[in-house]
Amino acid sequence: MQKTLLPIQAVAHKLDLPEKYFEPLGSQSGKAKLELLSDPAFKRRGKLIIVTATTPTPAGEGKTVTSISLTQGLAHIGKKVVITSREPSLGPVFGMKGGAAGGGLSQIEPSAKINLHFHGDSHAIASAHNLLAALIDAHLFHSNDLHLDPERITWPRTIDMNDRALRRIALSLDTKKEGSGRQTGFIITAASEIMAIVALAKDRQDLRRRLDSIVVGVTRDGEPVSARDLGATGGMMALLSEAILPNLVQTTDGTPAFVHAGPFGNIAHGTSSVISQEMGLRLADYVVNECGFASDLGAEKYFDIVMQESGIIPAAAVLVTTVQSMCNQGEGDFERGLPNLGKHIEILQKFGVPTIAAINRFPADTKADLNRLAAYCAEHRVDSALSEGFAKGGPGAKDLAEKVVKAIAQNSAPAVHSLYSLDESLTEKIRKVALQIYGASDVNFSEQAKAKLQQFTEWGYGKLPVCIAKTQYSLSDDPKRLGAPVGWTLNVNNTSLSAGAGFVVVISGNMLLMPGLPKVSRASSIDADDSGAISGV
């Protein structure tokens, strides 16, 4: 594959990306410069297509492959297109799911590099996050002039690896100064607020404002303390100076691809950077953007967080589904699992977005089951197309691409809307997502969660959107409750404030911000030979 990749300058040429706005990094990738966004010659002109899915199995349902093949399919039918994809996390790469750059004939290349260190963006984000953490403890050590309460510091450490042993740790055990022995922990970098900030920032000025606004804890008098108060912003800006720039690469067949930022969809807002999307909308007619996990997570967060923050309104949504997903949701019974597909169709219809279903074909699928999925979509007023990108690349998504283009042409200005107004209370926003999107009948708030929501509102953060962290394996907060469950209660155990990112994180069910490795991880099958060629990613 490495021998067939186009020179990155040729990929940039497909987007008519001026040389002055592009910095090649070797022969296969490069960084796009932010000055493009302020050039009046480049106005927003493209149509954004979001790609989401029905509830996945642990191995995933090929949403990334479908996103890539749709992009290739649009190029195949003569459209100027770019995909805006997230940067993979080393957690899944070495964990259960493996790499996140697609597969088969629908990959983003160079996939091994993208899945591992790439241009160091995730490392820069982790360094910025941990710089702030180090400054907090240095401040405690050196007199604590801000009167930070060591027991109420909320800023953790981060590492881009599944490491359950770091979930809870004690700090400063070698000193008796203030803050020694305090309890904290690590979160995975994809869950870092800095990752969300990089993904949502519009430019460097907005990045600075968001970093300034990070709340790390409270004083003994109960007042919030920010990164600005600690003098941390300048150092973080320096560390993020290159990471804020989108990365340009290509798909297997040479179609342009932006890969930038990587917030998880189950514990963060789950989509690529707003900057990469804005660039795509200025350079291409169609921008394909994947939203993490299923429509109850990534898609909901796109409409309620990203769309309200950025003003970017999707022109269409592609809902990826599979026979194996329906069998899983029906606990082995394909027909019993179909209401899960119906619920996800209903979710997207609630947001008013034109929707096309992509039936991602796996080798063991029967024609009868594939036809039943298509018929079920038709019964719910949604057109569908068979997607065979893994085996066939762009030609395998030609039908899907044509149907997406047709749907956009037939409804050029859909009445897409968020679920709630930002003026509603935090509690009401949570209730609306739980009842109208997840299908819950009620919400139970722990005393801790209620107290924090009240505190955030008193501090002036009541008008932020909510980012609910819950399992991706069920519409509910219980991964074992499959299908389209009704008559259940969403349990809100805790909340946290991401003031810089601009949302309140709501933790429900048994949700962890630091995953752990499985008994047999992908690490055992990944290697590099004597020439440095990487395999098994």
Side-chain angles (χ1 to χ4, degrees):
M1 182 56 64
Q2 306 301 317
K3 295 178 182 178
T4 64
L5 293 181
L6 296 174
I8 194 61
Q9 291 87 347
V11 179
H13 181 70
K14 288 188 175 185
L15 291 174
D16 296 315
L17 176 59
E19 187 176 330
K20 64 181 177 178
Y21 295 141
F22 182 61
E23 180 183 357
L25 298 176
S27 63
Q28 299 174 342
S29 59
K31 290 272 189 182
K33 299 180 180 179
L34 301 188
E35 288 77 10
L36 170 73
L37 297 178
S38 57
D39 187 332
F42 292 90
K43 303 286 188 185
R44 266 194 205 174
R45 64 183 180 84
K47 299 287 189 180
L48 186 82
I49 304 157
I50 64 167
V51 180
T52 185
T54 51
T55 303
T57 62
E61 302 315 303
K63 181 158 48 64
T64 302
V65 167
T66 304
S67 300
I68 297 167
S69 65
L70 170 60
T71 306
Q72 295 171 313
L74 287 164
H76 182 70
I77 62 173
K79 305 301 180 183
K80 192 173 184 180
V81 60
V82 64
I83 184 173
T84 52
S85 182
R86 288 177 295 166
E87 295 186 50
S89 164
L90 292 180
V93 168
F94 287 98
M96 184 178 295
K97 291 186 72 173
L105 292 181
S106 291
Q107 294 190 66
I108 299 179
E109 298 289 353
S111 57
K113 290 184 179 180
I114 291 169
N115 276 307
L116 298 177
H117 304 289
F118 203 18
H119 295 148
D121 293 352
S122 291
H123 300 306
I125 287 166
S127 295
H129 182 116
N130 290 330
L131 170 64
L132 179 53
L135 287 170
I136 292 168
D137 285 294
H139 184 85
L140 293 176
F141 184 86
H142 296 292
S143 304
N144 192 11
D145 293 339
L146 291 173
H147 305 293
L148 261 170
D149 183 345
E151 300 301 316
R152 297 163 71 187
I153 292 169
T154 55
W155 192 255
R157 259 78 177 171
T158 190
I159 185 172
D160 191 26
M161 190 61 63
N162 292 346
D163 195 345
R164 60 172 57 82
L166 294 177
R167 287 173 184 163
R168 298 300 304 166
I169 63 171
L171 295 179
S172 302
L173 297 179
D174 62 341
T175 179
K176 293 184 179 179
K177 290 206 172 186
E178 188 170 26
S180 65
R182 75 177 181 89
Q183 299 291 309
T184 184
F186 277 74
I187 60 175
I188 196 163
T189 304
S192 165
E193 185 178 350
I194 306 288
M195 180 66 81
I197 286 171
V198 169
L200 288 166
K202 298 178 178 68
D203 49 37
R204 282 199 170 89
Q205 292 80 12
D206 191 34
L207 176 64
R208 181 181 296 277
R209 179 188 66 79
R210 289 173 181 274
L211 293 174
D212 269 343
S213 301
I214 293 170
V215 172
V216 302
V218 297
T219 66
R220 290 193 176 88
D221 295 329
E223 294 301 314
V225 177
S226 70
R228 182 197 295 111
D229 297 331
L230 288 161
T233 305
M236 290 191 289
M237 286 290 295
L239 286 166
L240 298 171
S241 180
E242 294 292 317
I244 194 67
L245 305 178
N247 307 289
L248 181 67
V249 283
Q250 61 190 292
T251 68
T252 313
D253 63 357
T255 305
F258 281 123
V259 179
H260 195 217
F264 279 166
N266 55 350
I267 50 183
H269 69 279
T271 192
S272 64
S273 74
V274 165
I275 289 175
S276 69
Q277 293 168 42
E278 287 282 16
M279 286 187 176
L281 291 169
R282 286 160 168 76
L283 295 168
D285 298 322
Y286 297 93
V287 178
V288 178
N289 182 61
E290 179 187 347
C291 297
F293 294 117
S295 71
D296 56 315
L297 290 167
E300 181 273 319
K301 292 171 183 178
Y302 196 94
F303 292 115
D304 288 331
I305 298 175
V306 183
M307 190 174 79
Q308 298 206 81
E309 288 261 343
S310 68
I312 299 172
I313 301 173
V318 171
L319 179 66
V320 181
T321 192
T322 64
V323 171
Q324 67 179 16
S325 172
M326 295 301 98
C327 288
N328 182 68
Q329 288 299 307
E331 298 181 88
D333 186 325
F334 172 70
E335 196 71 27
R336 206 174 91 191
L338 288 174
N340 182 266
L341 170 57
K343 179 61 178 175
H344 287 287
I345 291 172
E346 177 190 322
I347 288 170
L348 292 172
Q349 290 172 339
K350 280 184 182 292
F351 292 108
V353 63
T355 301
I356 303 91
I359 301 171
N360 189 30
R361 185 174 192 168
F362 281 75
D365 293 343
T366 67
K367 188 173 182 180
D369 286 344
L370 294 170
N371 288 341
R372 178 67 183 112
L373 276 180
Y376 189 89
C377 291
E379 291 164 13
H380 289 75
R381 306 184 308 282
V382 167
D383 200 3
S384 65
L386 199 62
S387 180
E388 299 180 277
F390 187 95
K392 300 179 181 179
K398 179 176 179 287
D399 187 32
L400 176 62
E402 289 174 341
K403 289 186 175 182
V404 169
V405 169
K406 181 180 177 182
I408 292 174
Q410 289 177 336
N411 192 352
S412 59
V416 180
H417 55 84
S418 300
L419 182 68
Y420 51 73
S421 162
L422 295 179
D423 290 331
E424 295 177 59
S425 70
L426 294 172
T427 300
E428 183 57 28
K429 291 167 190 167
I430 296 166
R431 289 188 62 83
K432 278 195 170 181
V433 175
L435 274 60
Q436 296 187 36
I437 302 301
Y438 304 159
S441 58
D442 201 3
V443 181
N444 177 54
F445 294 88
S446 71
E447 292 302 317
Q448 181 183 42
K450 284 192 281 190
K452 285 187 175 182
L453 290 172
Q454 180 61 34
Q455 185 180 60
F456 300 157
T457 301
E458 291 172 357
W459 286 347
Y461 298 109
K463 292 189 177 181
L464 294 182
V466 295
C467 182
I468 300 180
K470 77 169 188 71
T471 179
Q472 66 269 32
Y473 299 127
S474 170
L475 284 158
S476 75
D477 57 7
D478 178 357
K480 296 181 180 179
R481 196 186 291 263
L482 303 178
V486 295
W488 59 277
T489 298
L490 181 77
N491 293 297
V492 175
N493 303 324
N494 203 353
T495 61
S496 63
L497 175 63
S498 292
F503 51 69
V504 171
V505 178
V506 180
I507 301 172
S508 62
N510 186 27
M511 199 65 211
L512 298 170
L513 303 187
M514 169 55 81
L517 288 171
K519 185 175 182 179
V520 179
S521 75
R522 296 271 181 167
S524 62
S525 61
I526 293 175
D527 205 347
D529 65 20
D530 292 344
S531 70
I534 297 166
S535 61
V537 176

